[in-house]
Amino acid sequence: MMRSSLKAAVVAGLVHSVSAAVMNTSSTTALGTAVPTLTISTAVASPSASLGATLPSQAPLPPAQGWCIGQIFCAGSLLQTVNIAQLYSDSKTFVDKPTSKSSQQVLADFNNFNLSTVTEGDLVNFVDNDFLGEGLELETAALANFNPTPAFLNNVTDPLLKAFAQTVHDYWTQLARNTNQSALCDEFPGGTCESSLIPLNHTFVIPGGRFREQYYWDSYWIIQGLIQSELYETVNATLQNFMDEIESFGFIPNGGRIYYLNRSQPPLFIHMVYDYVNATGDTSIVQRALPLAEAELAWWANNRTIEVTSPYTNQTYMMAHYAVNNTAPRPESYLTDYLTVHDPTLSTPLTDDQAAELYSELASGAETGWDYSSRFEAIPQLGNPGLRSLNVKNIIPICLNSILYKARLLLADLYDSSNATAASYHRQVGARIRAGVLDLFWDPTKLAFYDFNLTSNARNDILTAATFYPAWNYIIPDELFTSQSNAFGYFAAVNMVMNKYNGTVPVTFLDWTGLQWDAPNSWPPHQFIIMQALHNMPSNMTTNGLPTPNSSQSTYDLIPAGQLGLTEAQLPGQPFRGAQANQNATATGPGADINKLDGTVINGGNATAGEGWKDTLLREMANRYFTSVFCSWHATGGSIPGLLPQLPASELNLTSSIGNTGNMFEKFSNLNVDSSGSGGEYTVQAGFGWTNGVLLWVASTYGERLVAPQCPALVAAATTTTSTGAAVDLRASSGAVITAVVMSVMISVFFL
């Protein structure tokens, strides 16, 4: 399909599989080849109510969304009714199912129902008869020039971790996809079928799990790994897909579905192009990429940029924010959004205007990539009450503006001498964004960046992982050049995490919201960003060893006053294991640093004589990230012939992993190196694109500093129940290397 026809194909209703009558399909081949292994399992409708039950009453339909194409996968009576019936635990399942009939016939079949008497069984039959399996619009793809042993593996000195890195490298073959171009539907609305998929012209790598299509910001970290894996053609293909989308839509959507056409994600396209050119020397892509990069930046400038006057300097800046034009539930999360607005526990229902505004905030939160976090709540609370206070559009975010600053500089560099005028222009715009970042976000006393809140006309005061985005994008405040103490102070919370907690750096230190972009969750992109921020610190500010607290203090006391916005006693506790599973480690004082060793931390690698504080933190973070990924993979069935046997069935049974071969999770717990993350509006996903990408980047960059991790042995010793579910406890076993994990209990789609 030609690029010019991409948009037409989307309007056409898109793609379905010619073999879609087959609800389960598989293709198998050995790992380590360019031929993928894939098993597609489609969900079976399983409503919680009996099949003879009529549906609950519905709230009035939201307004039709002009940006969304069609009446099946966009807000309307059909989509709302199917979601009210709760046929699937995840709303995304339904909207990813192509129809087996024309859109007109599907709508006619639905309109035959009397919604006051229609039963659960009627809707199950309707979906079974009129829709196919989710994910069947895509097909597996062979990866061009796949090398089973890329050069970066030689950087990893530990034999076990080298073998694990090679295993993860092989996983790219599981995640590569193509659109089934031979099965495109005829033009909408008269075509033979309809689908929500945006058909792409080139091979791409998916995140995994429910994320079965190409995604925008995920692809940045996927590309970091693909570059290490020497899969340059796949990187180029990914970028070509993004350029096709910019040509067709004027921007890059959140993901490869029509229900994402009202929002984007953090704009990392130019970063990806630059990294590809830098890694390959292939400048041929630049001719096409430059005008499309200009178009994307123009979209952000025209649709997401506003004037902000600083209360600190009275200077005015053009700064970007996330702000989606949307007045209905997101199709892929329809029921969760619907129940957030139409919460039966509300004593006073929201007005139509309040509902429309909340739907806009929910979509804007999804555009941030941090869906959802207390960072964007006006009043952080557990569950729906907190989400109803979302204030995304009134937050000028650190992350977005830092990314846009560097995008301008990278674009200027890509122009090089070919267009000095354009290069100069982008450097000038970038300089102004940088000034805004330092003025609005930087607190020179607390030595941290905080989002600027238009509602309060002041900085927020809770530290988040976003504080490290500026340094990742080479915005380093003057205060960090004045002393090593200040430079370390910016990263002091990272040092505390390495000493106080078992895992990696969490998004925030608020652990009571139930949101997946809050504690205790830590995410692979953030570990990458923090390590890059550390790397970018000037060498003359990082030569001293790590500072140490006095004998009556913990590493919390090394953090600049007020930086966290929490006292030490307010921080999440680090649970013990085994017989003490119902207890946390000491909350304050030296006893809180339970992972501290001589010159290093548990699962932090080996100390080196003369190591500066930056290199120490980089070593510890690299090892701790590898530990979290590796241990949770092994505990869910992972094994390496000749090096690492699979756990016995008695242990795999504790993680519900009988017959499994290891999961690569999308997020992790900072409390347990052997656990996935939890919380949010969908169950924890395995796959997983950005996890793999960051791990391969860590292996390539810090491979000689990696040491085989110590994972606790899995022993059923106690059961602890929390607000998000029950977890099987672990008891540490001395000398137990690489043993087991407790997977987080998957929470319901209704819990946020």
Side-chain angles (χ1 to χ4, degrees):
M1 181 176 53
M2 298 298 292
R3 291 194 299 273
S4 60
S5 64
L6 174 59
K7 192 170 186 178
V10 173
V11 177
L14 318 170
V15 184
H16 81 103
S17 170
V18 290
S19 60
V22 181
M23 297 304 290
N24 292 279
T25 117
S26 65
S27 169
T28 58
T29 248
L31 287 173
T33 75
V35 181
T37 299
L38 175 67
T39 299
I40 296 177
S41 298
T42 58
V44 176
S46 54
S48 55
S50 67
L51 294 180
T54 56
L55 302 190
S57 60
Q58 298 185 33
L61 293 174
Q65 304 300 295
W67 56 268
C68 196
I69 302 165
Q71 300 178 58
I72 296 175
F73 302 113
C74 302
S77 183
L78 190 156
L79 184 58
Q80 180 160 300
T81 300
V82 169
N83 275 276
I84 291 296
Q86 300 180 34
L87 302 185
Y88 305 100
S89 61
D90 184 348
S91 294
K92 191 175 186 296
T93 300
F94 174 70
V95 292
D96 288 359
K97 288 178 173 289
T99 68
S100 58
K101 303 176 181 179
S102 70
S103 56
Q104 293 95 327
Q105 186 60 58
V106 172
L107 291 169
D109 291 348
F110 175 76
N111 289 332
N112 285 333
F113 292 130
N114 180 335
L115 296 187
S116 63
T117 60
V118 67
T119 66
E120 295 279 354
D122 292 334
L123 286 174
V124 169
N125 291 334
F126 165 66
V127 172
D128 285 347
N129 291 331
D130 286 37
F131 294 84
L132 303 169
E134 65 277 8
L136 295 180
E137 316 103 322
L138 298 169
E139 61 187 10
T140 58
L143 294 173
N145 297 315
F146 183 85
N147 178 2
T149 56
F152 85 88
L153 291 171
N154 295 325
N155 298 346
V156 185
T157 53
D158 182 272
L160 179 59
L161 298 188
K162 180 177 182 178
F164 179 56
Q166 183 162 12
T167 299
V168 175
H169 164 71
D170 287 339
Y171 284 157
W172 294 131
T173 66
Q174 313 299 299
L175 299 173
R177 298 288 184 273
N178 283 327
T179 301
N180 187 350
Q181 300 286 357
S182 66
L184 289 175
C185 297
D186 300 327
E187 281 209 28
F188 177 87
T192 57
C193 59
E194 183 174 344
S195 165
S196 65
L197 187 76
I198 297 174
L200 300 176
N201 302 313
H202 308 277
T203 299
F204 54 94
V205 173
I206 64 170
R210 75 196 288 265
F211 304 112
R212 54 183 65 90
E213 49 280 316
Q214 179 169 288
Y215 280 81
Y216 187 2
W217 84 314
D218 292 68
S219 295
Y220 174 82
W221 288 280
I222 289 171
I223 281 176
Q224 298 307 309
L226 292 175
I227 287 173
Q228 305 308 322
S229 293
E230 301 169 13
L231 290 168
Y232 305 124
E233 290 90 342
T234 307
V235 177
N236 187 296
T238 299
L239 296 175
Q240 297 296 338
N241 284 331
F242 286 142
M243 288 188 281
D244 290 348
E245 290 184 319
I246 297 172
E247 282 187 342
S248 296
F249 308 123
F251 73 108
I252 299 174
N254 182 149
R257 297 276 173 179
I258 62 168
Y259 49 71
Y260 291 134
L261 287 176
N262 69 335
R263 67 181 194 257
S264 188
Q265 273 191 325
L268 290 162
F269 170 69
I270 298 171
H271 292 61
M272 297 184 225
V273 172
Y274 185 89
D275 288 349
Y276 168 75
V277 172
N278 189 53
T280 64
D282 176 15
T283 58
S284 63
I285 197 172
V286 173
Q287 183 176 2
R288 185 183 183 206
L290 289 178
L292 295 172
E294 294 277 9
E296 189 196 26
L297 289 180
W299 185 89
W300 283 93
N302 295 332
N303 296 280
R304 297 292 190 269
T305 300
I306 59 175
E307 191 175 86
V308 180
T309 299
S310 168
Y312 312 111
T313 64
N314 206 35
Q315 292 289 309
T316 298
Y317 307 96
M318 299 303 296
M319 304 297 285
H321 66 149
Y322 296 105
V324 178
N325 181 18
N326 181 68
T327 58
R330 294 166 296 149
E332 79 282 9
S333 298
Y334 197 100
L335 187 60
T336 56
D337 287 2
Y338 176 92
L339 292 175
T340 301
V341 169
H342 301 291
D343 190 332
T345 67
L346 278 175
S347 56
T348 303
L350 301 184
T351 67
D352 289 347
D353 287 345
Q354 289 172 329
E357 182 60 21
L358 181 50
Y359 287 137
S360 177
E361 288 288 342
L362 288 163
S364 299
E367 187 171 64
T368 71
W370 295 39
D371 43 335
Y372 293 99
S373 172
S374 61
R375 173 189 177 194
F376 294 107
E377 292 182 340
I379 307 172
Q381 298 178 67
L382 176 66
N384 283 345
L387 288 178
R388 283 193 289 271
S389 77
L390 278 173
N391 195 34
V392 181
K393 295 188 293 185
N394 282 317
I395 298 296
I396 307 300
I398 307 162
C399 48
L400 174 58
N401 288 281
S402 299
I403 289 169
L404 287 170
Y405 160 74
K406 190 175 180 184
R408 295 283 180 175
L409 267 61
L410 295 179
L411 186 53
D413 288 348
L414 288 171
Y415 275 115
D416 194 22
S417 59
S418 65
N419 191 333
T421 301
S424 176
Y425 167 75
H426 286 294
R427 290 192 177 100
Q428 289 174 22
V429 174
R432 196 61 186 159
I433 296 173
R434 181 182 186 277
V437 167
L438 292 170
D439 186 345
L440 295 169
F441 306 142
W442 176 247
D443 187 313
T445 302
K446 297 178 182 178
L447 299 177
F449 291 93
Y450 302 88
D451 294 319
F452 187 79
N453 192 323
L454 295 175
T455 305
S456 62
N457 199 37
R459 299 181 191 109
N460 288 338
D461 57 6
I462 298 295
L463 189 76
T464 76
T467 192
F468 300 109
Y469 278 69
W472 168 41
N473 288 285
Y474 287 97
I475 302 176
I476 301 177
D478 290 342
E479 287 79 7
L480 302 190
F481 289 95
T482 61
S483 71
Q484 296 214 29
S485 176
N486 280 359
F488 169 78
Y490 179 45
F491 294 97
V494 176
N495 180 53
M496 181 195 72
V497 169
M498 294 296 103
N499 285 271
K500 183 180 178 70
Y501 297 106
N502 293 347
T504 49
V505 181
V507 192
T508 70
F509 291 98
L510 300 184
D511 66 344
W512 38 262
T513 66
L515 301 176
Q516 65 171 348
W517 290 85
D518 275 325
N521 288 347
S522 63
W523 292 78
H526 287 164
Q527 313 316 305
F528 172 93
I529 287 167
I530 296 168
M531 284 188 275
Q532 287 281 46
L534 277 162
H535 172 79
N536 292 344
M537 294 301 294
S539 57
N540 63 330
M541 290 290 109
T542 62
T543 55
N544 292 346
L546 273 178
T548 56
N550 66 41
S551 59
S552 64
Q553 295 179 324
S554 73
T555 49
Y556 172 88
D557 295 286
L558 300 176
I559 299 172
Q563 187 187 87
L564 295 187
L566 299 167
T567 67
E568 186 174 13
Q570 291 175 318
L571 292 172
Q574 171 61 61
F576 284 123
R577 300 293 180 93
Q580 295 177 293
N582 294 323
Q583 303 176 33
N584 288 340
T586 302
T588 62
D593 291 336
I594 63 171
N595 286 294
K596 184 176 181 179
L597 298 173
D598 184 15
T600 188
V601 293
I602 293 174
N603 285 321
N606 297 325
T608 303
E611 194 175 47
W613 66 263
K614 177 179 81 172
D615 288 336
T616 299
L617 290 180
L618 282 169
R619 167 178 51 77
E620 291 175 353
M621 284 197 68
N623 276 276
R624 195 69 69 80
Y625 178 73
F626 232 87
T627 297
S628 290
V629 179
F630 182 82
C631 294
S632 55
W633 169 82
H634 184 233
T636 51
S639 63
I640 300 174
L643 288 173
L644 182 70
Q646 189 177 61
L647 290 171
S650 59
E651 295 189 56
L652 293 179
N653 188 54
L654 294 174
T655 62
S656 301
S657 298
I658 299 294
N660 198 24
T661 57
N663 290 340
M664 299 290 289
F665 291 111
E666 65 167 347
K667 57 183 179 279
F668 301 91
S669 168
N670 86 305
L671 303 178
N672 297 300
V673 297
D674 44 18
S675 177
S676 66
S678 61
E681 63 185 16
Y682 56 82
T683 57
V684 175
Q685 301 299 297
F688 195 85
W690 64 20
T691 302
N692 306 358
V694 173
L695 185 124
L696 298 182
W697 175 82
V698 169
S700 178
T701 309
Y702 302 105
E704 78 285 355
R705 306 187 207 181
L706 297 175
V707 176
Q710 297 181 356
C711 306
L714 182 60
V715 180
T719 300
T720 303
T721 301
T722 70
S723 61
T724 58
V728 179
D729 179 58
L730 301 177
R731 176 179 292 128
S733 174
S734 61
V737 179
I738 328 303
T739 43
V741 66
V742 172
M743 289 176 58
S744 302
V745 172
M746 308 307 187
I747 66 169
S748 160
V749 72
F750 301 108
F751 183 80
L752 289 172

